[in-house]
């Protein structure tokens, strides 16, 4: 168990390098299901970040006292408690949002992301680093959800956050709001990210080749 | 709710509102396990079985929770029971049929975090199904999940021999195939 000091990298890695949706491909179910509108995606992202934050804090606080055999069971219990809290919170804040998200708020408890971070990070690192990690992963998750939500709502409804962007004459591309639209949008987004990563790798390789050539030439 | 026939519940949960392609549940194993037809079939079978058992358990727990009037405990009870039930099933299978246990391998413990199982329990509670309806709902959901998984595995196995552009390979391609499958399954909408 390493007790390194908290660094900003713990937060940043969750947003791009280890982005839970685009790189780790975790927690797919809510990403596809609730992004049919931008506000739903944002709410789900914030709710998941809250659960991740609180459960990371708790798991990290009790990490020295939990016997290994009941590790996973206790993590699940902690996560389930906070998810129930978030469920009632959202119901209290806005009944519309709650209806829009439906059962997927409760399904945050089986989001592989939260259990994965608790198991891989929070149970081994001090509270400070776990909190930063939770915020980073949650931010990355919310960014991904917002991207998907905005694209799908814009194309499928002509609006963003219920503000009409295109005029009356826009024929909505309805399939974007349907399940298949979710699959397609995420597939295309991953395609772009693959392309960006490929270009970065090519650039790095070319840079290294240049360096070795320069060294060889003198 | 007794006027909904059991057959229509089955068709509904297997085809019209397929758990993977319409409700987006169980995407993680759907993308992860569907590379080979054999593993896909085994995972599908395991999920079917776990869905059946957890559906009955969820019905029982819901009865208790209704009597105790403790709705806020519903989620916690469901997830704890599902997690421990998967553990029990694993021990049971290991005792009764070691060959089956080896064949299922890592898949059985992975089913615990499968959204489809918890989703099934939550949906059937929300719809207020009685016991026979819940069992048929679970059977249909499992059948639909297995069907989607097998279709995906078959397509992906074929694609291994095809020429594909580099950037599409991997999850991106699986998602686009899933999108087309989902579109196809929308054709069942008139059935239920």
């Amino acid at each position: 168990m390493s007790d390194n000091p908290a660094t900003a990298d713990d937060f940043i890695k969750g947003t791009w390098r280890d982005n839970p949706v685009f790189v780790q491909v975790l927690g797919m179910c809510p990403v596809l299901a609730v992004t049919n509108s931008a506000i739903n995606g944002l709410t789900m992202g914030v709710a998941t970040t809250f659960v991740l934050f609180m459960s990371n804090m708790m798991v990290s606080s009790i990490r020295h006292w939990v016997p290994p055999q009941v590790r996973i069971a206790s993590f699940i219990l902690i996560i389930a408690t906070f998810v129930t809290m978030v469920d009632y919170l959202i119901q209290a804040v806005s009944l519309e949002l709650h209806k829009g998200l439906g059962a997927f708020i409760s399904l945050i408890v089986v989001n592989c992301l939260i259990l994965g971070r608790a198991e891989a990070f929070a149970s081994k690192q001090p509270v400070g680093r776990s909190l930063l990690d939770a915020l980073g992963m949650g931010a990355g998750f919310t960014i991904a959800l917002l991207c998907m939500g905005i694209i799908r709502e814009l194309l499928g409804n002509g609006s963003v956050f219920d503000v009409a962007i295109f005029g009356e004459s826009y024929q909505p591309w309805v399939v974007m709001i349907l399940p298949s639209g979710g699959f397609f949008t995420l597939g295309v987004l991953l395609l772009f990210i693959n392309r960006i990563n490929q270009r970065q790798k090519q650039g790095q390789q070319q840079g290294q080749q240049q360096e070795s050539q320069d060294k060889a030439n003198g | 709710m007794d006027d909904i026939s059991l057959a229509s519940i089955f068709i509904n949960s297997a085809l019209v509102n397929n758990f993977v392609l319409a409700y987006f549940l169980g995407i993680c194993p759907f993308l992860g396990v569907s590379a080979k037809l054999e593993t896909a079939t085994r995972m599908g079978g395991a999920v079917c079985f776990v869905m059946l058992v957890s559906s009955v358990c969820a019905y029982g727990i819901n009865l208790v929770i209704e009597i105790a009037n403790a709705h806020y405990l519903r989620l916690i009870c469901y997830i704890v029971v599902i997690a421990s039930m998967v553990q029990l099933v694993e021990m049971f299978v290991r005792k009764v049929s070691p060959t089956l246990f080896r064949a299922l391998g890592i898949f059985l413990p992975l089913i615990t975090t499968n959204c489809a199982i918890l989703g099934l329990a939550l949906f059937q509670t929300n719809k207020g199904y009685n016991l026979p309806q819940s069992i048929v709902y679970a059977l249909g959901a499992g059948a639909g999940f297995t069907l989607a998984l097998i279709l995906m595995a078959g397509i992906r196995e074929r694609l291994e021999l095809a020429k594909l552009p580099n950037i599409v390979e991997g999850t991106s391609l699986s998602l686009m195939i899933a999108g087309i499958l989902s579109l196809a399954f929308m054709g069942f909408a008139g059935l239920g």
Side-chain angles (χ1 to χ4, degrees):
Chain A
M1 274 198 277
S2 53
D3 270 40
N4 300 328
T7 54
D9 188 55
D10 286 333
F11 177 79
I12 295 176
K13 74 172 189 289
T15 46
W16 179 255
R17 212 176 64 230
D18 275 341
N19 188 297
V21 175
F22 295 138
V23 177
Q24 298 182 54
V25 196
L26 289 178
M28 285 283 109
C29 309
V31 172
L32 294 161
V34 306
T35 45
N36 47 5
S37 78
I39 187 68
N40 282 353
L42 183 61
T43 314
M44 179 56 105
V46 170
T48 310
T49 309
F50 174 74
V51 174
L52 190 53
F53 187 78
M54 300 299 285
S55 61
N56 259 21
M57 178 169 71
M58 227 174 159
V59 167
S60 186
S61 314
I62 63 172
R63 74 186 187 280
H64 291 297
W65 300 316
V66 176
Q69 295 90 341
V70 293
R71 226 175 53 244
I72 302 279
S74 53
F75 294 165
I76 292 184
L77 254 166
I78 293 174
I79 298 172
T81 317
F82 285 121
V83 170
T84 315
M85 254 193 248
V86 159
D87 191 12
Y88 282 114
L89 243 163
I90 295 184
Q91 234 177 340
V93 165
S94 161
L95 206 54
E96 261 183 55
L97 274 177
H98 184 86
K99 280 219 185 75
L101 290 172
F104 280 93
I105 306 174
S106 309
L107 285 176
I108 296 179
V109 74
V110 282
N111 191 332
C112 332
L113 172 66
I114 305 186
L115 193 60
R117 288 329 281 173
E119 166 74 13
F121 201 86
S123 60
K124 303 189 179 90
Q125 302 290 346
V127 181
R129 291 193 73 190
S130 305
L131 289 181
L132 277 177
D133 178 75
L135 283 174
M137 290 285 162
F141 191 71
T142 313
I143 291 173
L145 282 180
L146 260 178
C147 276
M148 288 268 304
I150 290 178
I151 294 177
R152 283 180 74 187
E153 191 184 346
L154 191 62
L155 291 173
N157 212 12
S159 64
V160 174
F161 288 110
D162 286 332
V163 173
I165 301 285
F166 302 133
E168 287 281 316
S169 56
Y170 177 68
Q171 289 280 20
W173 194 5
V174 178
V175 81
M176 275 300 161
I177 302 198
L178 297 175
S180 9
F183 283 120
F184 283 135
T185 314
L186 188 58
V188 170
L189 273 177
L190 282 178
L191 201 142
F192 281 132
I193 295 193
N194 271 353
R195 186 84 186 101
I196 296 177
N197 284 340
Q198 262 193 351
R199 278 223 184 117
Q200 269 186 349
K201 260 194 213 145
Q202 275 176 353
Q204 274 177 354
Q205 273 178 350
Q206 278 178 350
Q208 281 174 351
Q209 279 176 351
Q210 264 314 98
E211 272 181 24
S212 50
Q213 266 182 359
D214 288 343
K215 273 191 196 156
N217 288 344
Chain B
M1 286 273 175
D2 285 338
D3 51 349
I4 305 177
S5 78
L6 294 178
S8 80
I9 295 180
F10 184 83
I11 300 272
N12 198 301
S13 61
L15 294 176
V16 180
N17 281 326
N18 187 294
F19 261 53
V20 179
L21 299 172
Y23 281 144
F24 295 118
L25 298 174
I27 300 284
C28 301
F30 180 64
L31 293 176
V33 168
S34 57
K36 288 220 158 317
L37 197 53
E38 203 183 334
T39 52
T41 331
R42 289 209 188 115
M43 179 61 148
V47 166
C48 261
F49 181 59
V50 173
M51 270 187 177
L52 194 57
V53 182
S54 57
S55 171
V56 176
C57 289
Y59 183 74
I61 295 174
N62 200 30
L63 284 179
V64 174
I65 287 186
E66 292 289 331
I67 295 175
N69 211 11
H71 301 279
Y72 47 88
L73 284 181
R74 181 177 287 138
L75 181 65
I76 302 179
C77 287
Y78 278 174
I79 190 65
V80 166
V81 164
I82 290 175
S84 30
M85 199 242 338
V86 171
Q87 190 75 23
L88 280 174
V89 164
E90 190 184 321
M91 287 198 274
F92 179 71
V93 168
R94 195 189 299 181
K95 245 307 150 69
V96 163
S97 164
T99 40
L100 181 62
F101 180 73
R102 264 198 305 275
L104 287 176
I106 189 74
F107 299 143
L108 215 35
L110 275 179
I111 295 177
T112 316
T113 51
N114 187 341
C115 336
I117 313 285
L118 186 60
L120 173 77
L122 291 171
F123 284 170
Q124 96 183 19
T125 315
N126 285 348
K127 292 189 188 191
Y129 285 154
N130 56 27
L131 191 59
Q133 286 173 333
S134 304
I135 293 181
V136 170
Y137 190 62
L139 281 175
F145 184 82
T146 313
L147 180 64
L149 215 55
I150 290 180
L151 283 173
M152 184 64 131
I155 296 178
R156 279 178 77 173
E157 272 195 354
R158 283 291 187 88
L159 279 177
E160 272 176 28
L161 301 171
K163 259 192 183 176
L164 297 164
N166 255 4
I167 48 175
V168 176
E169 270 171 24
T171 319
S172 179
L173 183 63
S174 315
L175 283 168
M176 294 202 211
I177 299 174
I180 299 178
L181 273 177
S182 173
L183 267 177
F185 268 64
M186 270 183 2
F188 287 120
L191 271 180

